[in-house]
Amino acid sequence: MRRVLDPPGGRIAIFTTAPDAKGSPAAPYPLATRGHFYTDEELAALPYEAGFARSHVTRTHEWAQLLVAQP
């Protein structure tokens, strides 16, 4: 994804479920055992590992994470 983004203004946004949601209505068992949940810090580190210059995670709800990264 980084390769096709416009460097000055391009960005990716990924909305995902936080680990706190395991066993909740947002990620009920046994469904919660089939996915991978990242802490905010782990999630923010992934774009840096892929070569992005900026990355941050915002909690939009106690069970929701919004990752935004820019090249």
Side-chain angles (χ1 to χ4, degrees):
M1 286 188 273
R2 182 181 54 82
R3 184 175 54 86
V4 298
L5 289 175
D6 178 34
R11 68 183 56 121
I12 63 165
I14 299 173
F15 190 74
T16 189
T17 306
D20 312 353
K22 284 184 181 179
S24 74
Y29 288 108
L31 180 65
T33 63
R34 297 180 186 197
H36 187 89
F37 296 83
Y38 293 97
T39 65
D40 294 348
E41 294 77 21
E42 291 170 331
L43 188 60
L46 293 174
Y48 290 121
E49 294 171 16
F52 282 80
R54 290 186 279 293
S55 170
H56 71 274
V57 173
T58 304
R59 285 292 186 109
T60 60
H61 181 275
E62 67 178 304
W63 295 337
Q65 297 163 302
L66 176 63
L67 167 67
V68 177
Q70 292 179 281

